[in-house]
Amino acid sequence: MMTFAQKTILVIDDSAENIYVLSELLRSRYRVLAATCGEVGLQIANSEPAPDLILLDVMMPGMDGYAVLKQLQVGRTRAIPVMFLTALADPDDEERGLQLGAADYITKPIKPTVVLARVRTQLEAKQARDAMQDQKAALEAEVARRMQENNLTQLVSIRALAHLAETRDPETGHHIHRTQAYIVVLGNYLKNDPRFSAVLTDHRIQLLFKCAPLHDIGKVGIPDKILRKSGRYTPEEIEIMKTHPTLGRDAIEKAQEMSDERQEFLEVAKEIVYCHHEKWDGSGYPQGLRGLQIPVSARLMALADVYDALISRRVYKDGMTHQQATDIIVQGRDGHFDPLVVDAFVALSDEFQAIAERFADTDED
């Protein structure tokens, strides 16, 4: 920690005699700088290294002490404590200076012991404030580091789980990347609509991006003979496939039970996993939710998932064109999908097509 002998005091006074007296008094203990007018004093105060304390005369020609103090209260110099020096004895003048932000007020003629004591008090106070500020900055940096580490852990965990699902259902290709991108463009578009703005904050959209890859994690619990079947499902197999949202939800709830704290991203993931097969008209599964009962996150995921399934090639079908898929999505407005989400999709049609092309599956995929 810096010793007081290394502290710098700036004296601003139009009287050379006053500067001499104060310099002689202080220089044995501190580094002393001086200015005979407010303008020069401000230049010194804004230079590096900045002074640790300013002794400022009130009555000066041109720019007086009040005007100098007002400018010192702006920018980085506002952290420098200022002690007024004045021959004025009016209590109103002292009150005015303190209201403007002066740390203390010393009357002339000065008393050496009083000046030294008050200077030391102000330097000690500033040193304590600086230490607290450094501690605060260190704590904020540590919090930021841990948050970044936590976010990275979440992202890696989500990716790992999503790729685990992919190993069971290898035909997904770049489905995860495409649906992530779809849901983000939908979220960013709809956040400007007052009907969605309270839910679709930037933070929430980032969570949607993180959690979207988990939407089919429940498929890990579906038997291989059904999940990997190359032909169409029987009615019985369809019912088994319909259990994957519940299986996914149950897995996330198990993870939540093991956590001491509520994890927001797990709540969002559970919404998406459990509800992305619900339909606006109530004909979806597993709960048969209708309209606004369906979480916004799941409404976005539903459209993103269906669009991508339509344009993607599978063993049992060819992929549709963007226009064919768009026509089907529009037909599902107010039936399968939230009509406002469909309207957003139509407005973002070019962006959806660009995303599909950017993350297109190859023959190797």
Side-chain angles (χ1 to χ4, degrees):
M1 183 179 293
M2 184 181 290
T3 65
F4 280 176
Q6 297 171 291
K7 299 293 187 181
T8 298
I9 297 177
L10 170 62
V11 180
I12 305 175
D13 197 314
D14 65 308
S15 169
E17 181 181 351
N18 289 339
I19 288 177
Y20 175 77
V21 170
L22 288 167
S23 296
E24 287 299 304
L25 175 63
L26 298 169
R27 73 172 63 256
S28 62
R29 294 173 173 82
Y30 313 106
R31 177 172 175 257
V32 181
L33 302 176
T36 56
C37 67
E39 291 82 359
V40 175
L42 287 170
Q43 291 177 7
I44 296 173
N46 281 282
S47 62
E48 290 289 348
D52 298 286
L53 176 66
I54 297 174
L55 303 184
L56 175 61
D57 187 23
V58 175
M59 302 301 293
M60 294 186 294
M63 179 179 282
D64 66 11
Y66 298 124
V68 173
L69 179 60
K70 186 175 181 179
Q71 292 201 28
L72 287 171
Q73 294 298 302
V74 179
R76 62 187 183 87
T77 56
R78 66 180 306 171
I80 305 172
V82 176
M83 296 175 62
F84 265 147
L85 299 169
T86 182
L88 301 174
D90 190 341
D92 291 340
D93 292 313
E94 181 177 352
E95 183 179 354
R96 180 186 176 192
L98 294 175
Q99 287 177 343
L100 287 172
D104 203 349
Y105 216 94
I106 297 176
T107 57
K108 300 175 185 178
I110 64 170
K111 297 178 181 180
T113 55
V114 172
V115 172
L116 290 174
R118 292 190 173 181
V119 164
R120 183 175 183 82
T121 296
Q122 292 302 324
L123 290 174
E124 287 176 344
K126 182 177 186 299
Q127 187 166 268
R129 288 194 299 271
D130 290 346
M132 289 180 65
Q133 189 64 35
D134 291 343
Q135 185 180 31
K136 179 183 176 184
L139 287 172
E140 288 176 347
E142 178 63 14
V143 169
R145 185 190 69 79
R146 292 194 179 189
M147 286 183 65
Q148 184 177 17
E149 186 178 83
N150 185 51
N151 287 336
L152 181 60
T153 300
Q154 287 181 4
L155 191 59
V156 170
S157 300
I158 289 168
R159 288 286 186 182
L161 289 169
H163 287 305
L164 175 62
E166 280 187 306
T167 63
R168 300 292 320 290
D169 187 12
E171 292 182 327
T172 54
H174 294 294
H175 173 68
I176 286 175
H177 301 295
R178 290 192 297 268
T179 51
Q180 275 187 305
Y182 299 149
I183 207 168
V184 168
V185 296
L186 282 172
N188 283 329
Y189 183 88
L190 288 167
K191 73 179 182 181
N192 299 310
D193 187 319
R195 290 163 291 191
F196 290 88
S197 57
V199 176
L200 292 176
T201 62
D202 290 338
H203 171 67
R204 192 76 168 187
I205 292 170
Q206 185 60 33
L207 285 179
L208 295 179
F209 175 82
K210 283 184 180 180
C211 297
L214 295 178
H215 66 279
D216 276 337
I217 190 66
K219 287 184 177 180
V220 173
I222 302 299
D224 279 350
K225 65 180 181 180
I226 297 175
L227 190 63
R228 294 174 176 267
K229 185 176 180 179
S230 59
R232 295 190 176 278
Y233 294 137
T234 65
E236 293 77 14
E237 290 169 338
I238 290 175
E239 291 307 310
I240 293 174
M241 277 297 296
K242 284 184 176 182
T243 65
H244 80 268
T246 304
L247 293 172
R249 180 208 59 182
D250 292 345
I252 293 173
E253 286 186 343
K254 287 292 184 183
Q256 288 178 308
E257 290 172 4
M258 292 185 290
S259 176
D260 294 332
E261 298 180 3
R262 176 182 173 274
Q263 296 287 339
E264 187 181 6
F265 88 97
L266 287 178
E267 290 292 335
V268 175
K270 186 165 67 173
E271 287 179 359
I272 291 175
V273 167
Y274 193 40
C275 302
H276 73 283
H277 284 295
E278 302 289 352
K279 296 183 180 180
W280 188 254
D281 62 7
S283 64
Y285 65 90
Q287 301 176 84
L289 300 180
R290 179 187 297 272
L292 298 179
Q293 293 177 328
I294 306 170
V296 171
S297 57
R299 286 181 247 159
L300 302 186
M301 191 72 239
L303 189 144
D305 193 34
V306 170
Y307 171 78
D308 201 67
L310 292 172
I311 66 168
S312 298
R313 186 177 63 186
R314 295 289 182 261
V315 172
Y316 52 85
K317 76 174 186 71
D318 291 328
M320 294 183 180
T321 66
H322 169 73
Q323 188 56 55
Q324 289 172 327
T326 298
D327 291 342
I328 290 176
I329 296 290
V330 171
Q331 288 171 16
R333 185 184 188 278
D334 215 20
H336 190 149
F337 308 109
D338 179 342
L340 296 178
V341 177
V342 172
D343 293 344
F345 164 75
V346 172
L348 297 164
S349 176
D350 291 344
E351 291 187 50
F352 266 70
Q353 187 170 14
I355 291 167
E357 292 172 354
R358 185 162 72 248
F359 296 109
D361 293 329
T362 63
D363 290 336
E364 291 182 2
D365 296 324

